[in-house]
Amino acid sequence: MENKQLRTQQNKFEVVINPWDDFGYFEHEDYGDEWGGGLWFEGKHLVDYDGVYELPSEVIAGIRELGYIVAQEFE
């Protein structure tokens, strides 16, 4: 698999996923990593995140736009 990041912008959040290592991250346009965090996947399924108490809806939308699955427990 080519080492190409998947990325999308949802409002002020950028979502980036590295498919080759099942990791991604998100950042806020104005607040950077203060409103950002890491994303961990098993295959196409989000299994964990960090950085914020609650995963922003824009980040969930971005993950799904990139073809990944976010379980209801993260909403």
Side-chain angles (χ1 to χ4, degrees):
M1 174 181 284
E2 182 180 336
N3 288 354
K4 184 175 180 184
Q5 291 182 321
L6 305 175
R7 59 178 66 235
T8 187
Q9 186 81 24
Q10 292 287 327
N11 293 324
K12 292 194 173 239
F13 283 95
E14 179 182 36
V15 178
V16 179
I17 299 175
N18 302 327
W20 65 89
D21 65 2
D22 293 331
F23 178 75
Y25 66 89
F26 60 97
E27 275 191 2
H28 191 273
E29 188 176 286
D30 297 328
Y31 302 109
D33 61 6
E34 288 181 29
W35 281 17
L39 303 166
W40 286 267
F41 299 90
E42 286 182 5
K44 292 277 190 171
H45 295 266
L46 179 70
V47 293
D48 200 8
Y49 70 92
D50 73 359
V52 294
Y53 179 73
E54 186 174 307
L55 200 57
S57 61
E58 295 93 339
V59 174
I60 292 170
I63 293 168
R64 288 178 174 157
E65 180 181 305
L66 293 173
Y68 284 72
I69 299 163
V70 180
Q72 194 170 9
E73 69 188 73
F74 294 111
E75 293 189 53

